[in-house]
């Protein structure tokens, strides 16, 4: 079968957009940590580009998209065996498909890093994401998109479950081994440069058009729809967050608005190509509000998910996955069109993924903690990870 | 000669400079600092996490003056730095003895060099 | 009619590029203000993404592109009624068209924000852009592109009139209610971080390829031409600005070069697909020089259009619109090809738009000033908008 | 012949991506210099966008891609004569081709600027790149891609020789006239903001997808392959650099990882569309390791190629060009497939380019040094180029 | 009255503040500084170029105290600033005479104003 | 003992440090500051808007010395900080009395601890 040049162009540029989300994420997170941890935090995203990209072509792709069974793909594409220049996936070259999917594999573990900033050993982080990508990401990706037991059942347009729920839940779970940062809750822990975070937000939104609209895997009407929903949902989410914050604290913060946008991007991800723009506004507003609540709750409960990976990606992903089951009206039908079954399936997909992510993260965390240790010592935490883990200072005179 | 160190609110710098110029004190050195003091309760909210910020941005002025300029200098700083409400956090002035001053360019010393 | 996948891909990626101009603008402006106002300034761009995006799909699109009359579109597409997955505009899905046009609607009011930094109330800013977008942007957009009385008459390839003249003129007008910043003209008001401004310039130029070349609404020869002119015009404009500045002040500044690039981007916008690359160089150089003059003049006249929205977007937009009438040679003919009538129409379009923008801005400004007030009080201005309007500090230790 | 819309869209967006590499480069370099030289360093990239863009359409394009002879193109396309809206190159409008190639012309001299930061006169820099682009870039581009004596012989997919070897070698050569920065090798010269460098790295990688995959000049299988190799090679290179650094100094630095990524991007450039992804991983790892070695060697030899243009672009480009002759297996065959002749040709291309670049750079440098002088005086160097050359400070309160 | 200037490691700030609070010294001014001193050999590596960094990040505390608070203040700083290993670079305390203090808000002077 | 505060041009730091090392003054603390003084007329142009910048970047050195080191220290700073042209803005040196010094690491006090 021949490829479609237009679809190829679209998926390639979408892949590049998703790659740009990594520096975007690095800035988004990096701006929120203290000066002494900014390089460490950014390196979490960058090193994921190194490790997971290589791991993906060696084995990850095969595990996720190889034929395999209901649970996991086979090993037939290890080292990209069986793929060559003329292999085709749908209407695009398989290489384009592998690259596009590889970007998703890269960003997912990097998302987790927001929870662990300022106190995780760099080598343990590397070990963690390497294992996690194989043990959690590859199977869940296979379930939902690669021919596993949820494929064709659960609606997940661009990765609400595969990307955001897995990472958000695992972020919360890994805290078992990390606890809080020293000084948590005092003014000595404030975002060191919110302009970086805003720039990161901009790059993330930009890249997310590739993430969501690219997931149509063709330059067609569905891509246009997904583009449109990815435009309005984060807008609505940012406004919702801002409105609540303004009302509750008297000030609409820039950081809050940025977080709201992100919540909206997460929330619309599973629904992007399945719902109308108007439904997208509702989903966005819901994601913004609910994530706001989750983040407030965190503050009350006192666990230190430092940059709110759970509150935004976990909660936002769950919200989006369930609301997809409510609002789906394009290429699938949800509750509002009378298909309550879909909501059930969505719920099932979410629940299984949550349990699986928790279990695996505990095991991986436990193994790493026992072998190389997860948390750095207090003195190193005081001095900062940039200096102690990387031997650098981000800012010099 | 005295070495005056004043800690003021950043937003009062222009007023203080203005008042100092009026009493012909035209030379000073400014640096940024953070203050911990009485002034508390300034609340910042980061993603709904409320932090009681007690490390506050301040400016520090260093002004070397001849003895007869000391009092006018202090008064000028007070005029410029005080907010209408006279709030906690308006700042402080410290007066230290100064033994000598040297102007590098000319090599002058003592009160001529100030 | 079926869509063209390649055109769809091109318009979608162009839309994403235009969205990226918002963070670009936020950085461009944010770098030029003082530390204490940087988040406030950036939020002006970000919040426009929130508000106008939602407003656009609810009503703006309908007012701009609904059938309506010579002055304004109808209400038939309110809440995107009548648009579905398979709606087509030209050769692309209507959703793609709406998204692309929505990006223009978002950026236009955000441009205005450069004039008002450091002293406008955040809530008044929100009220202003919400109203302005309906009252000024939607009608002018309808006139020029949506079937109104200038459609097919005035040549405005990508928004010299619709985007830049409207925003530049309104920026100047709103100053009636704002006056100057405290300390205007002294060294205490200097750009706090020019690297941000340069980065913003880079993102703006990058995004502008989508803005201009995307306005071809197809991946065709016109798009390639518009791309080419958007490449060389800003280059020439930056050089022109730099040369004059170097000659006059003895130093070629980075900020000046960046401003020149922007002036060139603005200047070529209405002409992008109508002129040859060589004409684009002339237009660019002209825009760079004339905007330089306008900015110098501002300094002399002493009004505080803080970041020169009028000097760059207003003057650059007018320059471009008129020169389009001079140099047009592709898909339209200008003065140089003997069609003096076109220049007249261009002039007419510019004049009407200017008058309309001034009148509406005065009314909107007046209403807001009387109700919620436009300018913050002096103490808040001293402390800075980040702290007083948003309760944040951009930079912490 | 008609154009292909999909190929046009792909080349246009790729061109925009390459343009974005300029701000990317400005940040990459700007972050590594001291505060007092950051604008100067960034301006080196920005001003190249101004000067070379204009020079390219006036004469550069004609010299590179005009018919001409074995050595250089003719003058038939000066001022883009003979090109109009409907001119076609391959399957895309000639304007798109000119824009895409123009981006390459712009970035190549800008790469050199990394070697000369902190001590070159701005006007001399301008003179240098203006001449260099005509005397070095245009001919070498003509040799390899424009119909010159290496066209169809040497394999250079996206500019390993044309872009990276020419710039890397010239960067080293120009140091003859510049010597070291004052204070070289002491702690007073440290990167002032590594977050900028990381962001720059991200933008460069993103843009490089346009650079490499766009060089297919079509949205086809080759583009997908080049995309894929541009994804994994830098990943492998970053990991290689990090591994060696970690082993040798005990700390994996963020700056090192970023440099490794860049080395991998350079290394894969000539090979991008000619090798499999697995070969790309090897090439990337090789480029990362060898460039690391080159940079260490520089430290030992004590010459001050400030930001390692030679170590990364020169050495990386040579590595890539030769390894292309080893691993080529798609659209060309290399040593591993028994074609030792190709390696020879690669070697020949590299050697001739090196000699040519050295000779011309010496001549250009000599002329500029004798006329306007290349290096600023010591006092100006102490104060910094931002202040003395541009009359600005990047950061103010 | 004395004007105490202490140069400490940045990472010890929280401990020092904590110790100072224990002895009821609640007001201080912090600024960032770079120190050159004995403490050398801290090596940084930039792209394999080894730099011996002798300009080190420090914090500077300024604390004005009444005479009877001087000794407790010094002891508190010492307790808070000393690393377990008592390494070079732990810092120094300088004690300067202080002639007068003025609280801007109230106009109080002398030891009451501290 | 004396506490010397010197305000110099940033670009002279290396020279000053060099001169200080020659007279065996190896410890100092540097911080950044802005100076207002005689030195005016430095013009900056932002988009053609000319601003007379009177807030100038400076460095501030703090050096505690024993009495017999005072004169050499002052001379060294003068040598290092003076520009060829001896321009306005070369800076100033202030000498304050210093009552005590404590080295945190060892607890040493007085002139031994300097
Ligand atoms: N005793 C002190 N020593 C050093 N700095 C002080 C002292 N007292 C006040 N300051 C500085 O002055 C600033 C303003 O003090 P403030 O809280 O207004 O004091 P008060 O309540 O005594 O007026 C503080 O933030 C701090 O930086
Ligand atoms: N005599 C001095 N004058 C000014 N600052 C000093 C002096 N001695 C030490 N410091 C400051 O204190 C910091 C810590 O000094 P350190 O190297 O630990 O000194 P020591 O080896 O004497 O304990 C130095 O980095 C410097 O900033
Ligand atoms: N009396 C003073 N008090 C505080 N700082 C001063 C004083 N005089 C000078 N300075 C500082 O020294 C810097 C250099 O002063 P400069 O303008 O060269 O003085 P002069 O003209 O007296 O040589 C000033 O920018 C200021 O920071």
């Amino acid at each position: 079968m021949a490829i479609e040049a237009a679809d190829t162009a679209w998926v390639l540029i979408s892949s590049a957009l998703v790659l740009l989300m990594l520096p975007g994420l690095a800035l988004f997170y990096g701006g929120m940590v203290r000066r002494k941890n900014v390089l460490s935090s950014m390196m979490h995203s960058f090193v994921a580009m190194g490790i997971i990209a290589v791991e993906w072509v060696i084995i990850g792709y095969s595990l996720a998209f190889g034929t395999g069974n209901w649970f996991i793909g086979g090993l037939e594409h290890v080292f990209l065996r069986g793929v060559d220049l003329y292999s085709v996936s749908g209407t695009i070259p398989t290489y384009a498909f592998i690259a596009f999917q590889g970007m998703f594999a890269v960003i997912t573990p990097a998302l987790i890093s927001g929870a662990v900033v300022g106190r995780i050993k760099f080598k343990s982080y590397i070990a963690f994401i390497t294992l996690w990508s194989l043990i959690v990401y590859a199977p869940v990706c296979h379930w939902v998109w690669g021919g596993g037991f949820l494929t064709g059942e659960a609606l997940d347009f661009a990765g609400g479950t595969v990307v955001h729920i897995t990472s958000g839940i695992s972020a919360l779970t890994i805290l078992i081994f990390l606890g809080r940062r020293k000084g948590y809750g005092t003014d000595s822990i404030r975002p060191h440069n919110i302009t970086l975070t805003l720039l990161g937000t901009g790059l993330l939104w930009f890249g997310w058009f590739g993430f969501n609209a690219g997931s149509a895997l063709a330059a067609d009407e569905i891509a246009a729809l997904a583009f449109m929903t990815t435009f309005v949902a984060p807008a609505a989410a940012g406004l919702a967050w801002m409105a609540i914050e303004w009302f509750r604290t008297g000030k609409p913060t820039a950081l809050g608005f940025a977080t709201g946008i992100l919540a909206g991007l997460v929330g619309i991800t599973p629904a992007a190509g399945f719902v109308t723009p108007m439904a997208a506004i509702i989903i966005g507003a819901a994601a913004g509000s609910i994530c706001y609540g989750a983040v407030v709750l965190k503050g009350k409960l006192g666990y230190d998910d430092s940059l709110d990976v759970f509150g935004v990606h976990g909660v936002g992903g769950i919200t989006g996955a369930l609301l997809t089951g409510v609002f789906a009206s394009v290429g699938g039908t949800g509750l509002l069109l009378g298909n309550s079954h879909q909501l059930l399936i969505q719920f099932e997909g979410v629940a299984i993924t949550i349990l699986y992510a928790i279990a695996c993260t505990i095991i991986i965390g436990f193994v790493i903690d026992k072998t190389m240790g997860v948390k750095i010592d207090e003195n190193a935490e005081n001095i900062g990870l940039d200096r102690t883990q990387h031997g650098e200072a981000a800012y010099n005179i | 000669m005295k070495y005056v160190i004043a800690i003021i609110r950043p937003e009062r710098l222009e007023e203080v400079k203005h008042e100092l110029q009026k009493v012909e004190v035209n030379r000073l050195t400014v640096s940024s600092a953070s203050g911990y003091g009485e002034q508390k309760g300034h609340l910042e909210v980061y993603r709904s996490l409320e932090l009681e910020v007690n490390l506050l941005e301040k400016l520090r002025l260093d002004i070397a003056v001849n003895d007869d300029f000391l009092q006018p200098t202090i008064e000028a700083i007070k005029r410029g730095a005080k907010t209408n409400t006279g709030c906690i956090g308006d700042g402080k002035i410290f007066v230290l003895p100064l033994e000598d001053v040297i102007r590098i360019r000319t090599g002058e010393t003592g009160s001529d060099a100030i």
Side-chain angles (χ1 to χ4, degrees), chain A, chain B:
Chain A
M1 206 181 94
I3 62 162
E4 284 291 333
D7 295 343
T8 304
W10 178 240
V11 173
L12 288 182
I13 185 61
S14 292
S15 306
L17 288 178
V18 183
L19 182 111
L20 189 64
M21 292 171 73
L22 271 294
L25 188 69
L27 291 168
F28 185 80
Y29 283 166
M32 275 191 277
V33 302
R34 282 165 291 175
R35 290 170 67 97
K36 64 184 182 182
N37 293 324
V38 55
L39 293 181
S40 150
S41 169
M42 294 183 77
M43 267 298 266
H44 288 164
S45 292
F46 274 84
V47 85
M49 293 201 272
I51 289 174
I52 311 293
V54 172
E55 192 182 28
W56 181 250
V57 293
I58 291 180
I59 177 156
Y61 170 71
S62 192
L63 290 182
F65 289 97
T67 312
N69 51 33
W70 66 272
F71 179 75
I72 194 149
L75 294 176
E76 73 261 44
H77 294 311
V78 162
F79 291 104
L80 298 191
R81 268 185 312 164
V83 179
D84 70 13
L85 188 64
Y86 297 107
S87 307
V88 174
S89 297
T91 60
I92 59 171
T94 301
Y95 280 144
F97 180 74
I98 298 173
F100 185 66
Q101 291 296 340
M103 300 303 174
F104 282 63
V106 165
I107 199 169
T108 307
L111 292 173
I112 301 175
S113 71
V116 302
V117 294
R119 57 207 192 284
I120 198 170
K121 285 185 190 170
F122 185 58
K123 66 176 177 197
S124 308
Y125 172 78
I126 290 182
F128 180 79
I129 61 168
T130 310
L131 293 173
W132 189 91
S133 186
L134 287 185
I135 297 173
V136 179
Y137 185 79
V140 177
C141 180
H142 184 75
W143 300 351
V144 178
W145 293 330
F149 72 103
L150 291 168
T151 307
E153 298 284 317
L155 296 177
D156 187 4
F157 192 75
T161 303
V162 177
V163 173
H164 297 290
I165 297 183
T166 58
S167 59
I169 294 293
S170 297
L172 191 62
T173 309
I174 193 70
L175 293 185
I176 298 172
F177 304 97
L178 276 168
R180 300 185 186 182
R181 286 167 295 172
K182 218 189 144 208
Y184 173 73
T186 75
D187 73 331
S188 55
I189 303 194
R190 290 190 288 175
H192 90 289
N193 188 342
I194 297 181
T195 69
L196 295 185
T197 299
L198 290 180
L199 169 56
T201 307
L203 294 181
L204 284 169
W205 196 345
F206 176 63
W208 223 292
F209 285 115
F211 198 91
N212 283 1
S215 287
L217 293 172
D220 59 7
E221 292 86 356
I222 300 288
L225 174 64
F227 193 101
M228 194 70 217
T229 56
T230 306
F231 179 30
V232 296
L239 294 178
W241 187 294
M242 184 170 79
I244 304 178
E245 193 182 45
W246 206 335
F247 180 77
R248 282 192 72 227
T249 72
K251 305 268 187 208
T253 64
L255 184 59
F257 193 70
T259 312
I261 288 174
L262 193 65
L265 286 164
V266 170
I268 199 61
T269 295
F274 296 128
V275 302
T276 65
M278 288 304 134
I281 289 182
I282 298 172
I283 294 176
S289 318
I290 296 173
C291 290
Y292 182 88
V295 168
V296 169
L297 198 67
K298 172 199 85 163
K300 299 251 158 74
L301 297 180
Y303 61 90
D304 183 14
D305 173 7
S306 312
L307 311 179
D308 293 307
V309 184
F310 174 69
V312 173
H313 296 276
V315 174
I318 294 170
T319 305
L322 298 181
L323 291 184
T324 303
V326 173
F327 289 104
S329 63
V330 180
T333 49
L335 190 64
L336 285 193
L337 292 182
N339 181 6
S340 62
H341 182 59
Q342 187 62 49
L343 185 54
L344 208 77
I345 296 180
Q346 296 299 104
F347 191 83
E348 187 192 307
V350 167
I352 295 174
T353 304
I354 289 177
L355 294 177
Y356 184 71
I358 292 177
C360 295
T361 301
I362 290 180
I363 295 170
I364 302 172
F366 182 82
V367 168
I368 295 178
D369 201 29
K370 287 303 163 211
T371 50
M372 49 179 75
V374 178
K375 194 172 184 178
I376 57 168
D377 66 52
E378 193 180 303
N379 191 38
E381 192 181 340
N382 272 342
I383 295 177
L385 298 198
D386 290 4
R387 178 73 64 208
T388 57
Q389 302 294 296
H390 303 283
E392 293 173 292
Y395 307 104
N396 293 297
I397 310 161
Chain B
M1 293 175 297
K2 303 295 174 200
Y3 194 86
V4 176
I5 299 174
I7 312 288
I8 62 168
R9 293 180 195 273
E11 67 263 25
R12 307 303 296 179
L13 177 62
E14 294 299 321
E15 314 292 340
V16 171
K17 260 172 52 190
H18 192 70
E19 293 293 339
L20 283 169
Q21 257 152 22
K22 283 200 204 154
V23 298
E24 280 169 28
V25 173
N26 294 316
R27 296 193 178 100
L28 60 143
T29 303
V30 184
S31 41
S32 58
S34 308
Y36 291 86
E38 284 272 308
Q39 186 188 10
K40 279 188 187 146
H42 160 156
L43 218 66
E44 289 184 11
V45 185
Y46 290 96
R47 283 183 164 178
S48 86
L49 195 65
E50 302 193 343
L51 300 180
E52 194 192 302
V53 175
N54 50 31
L55 181 154
L56 297 162
E57 268 187 49
K58 298 285 171 189
L59 283 186
R60 167 200 168 114
L61 313 184
D62 287 44
I63 314 172
V65 290
N66 284 319
D67 292 341
D68 46 338
F69 273 84
L70 180 63
Q71 220 41 51
T73 300
I74 290 176
E75 293 306 322
I77 297 175
K78 280 164 71 174
R79 278 197 305 277
K82 203 161 166 175
T83 51
N84 307 335
T85 46
C87 275
I88 291 185
D90 277 359
K92 267 190 195 169
I93 306 174
F94 304 104
V95 182
L96 281 71
L98 174 63
E99 295 190 351
D100 203 0
V101 183
I102 299 100
R103 170 172 286 137
I104 290 174
R105 171 168 53 97
T106 57
E108 284 164 285
T109 58
S111 51
D112 293 343
I114 267 197

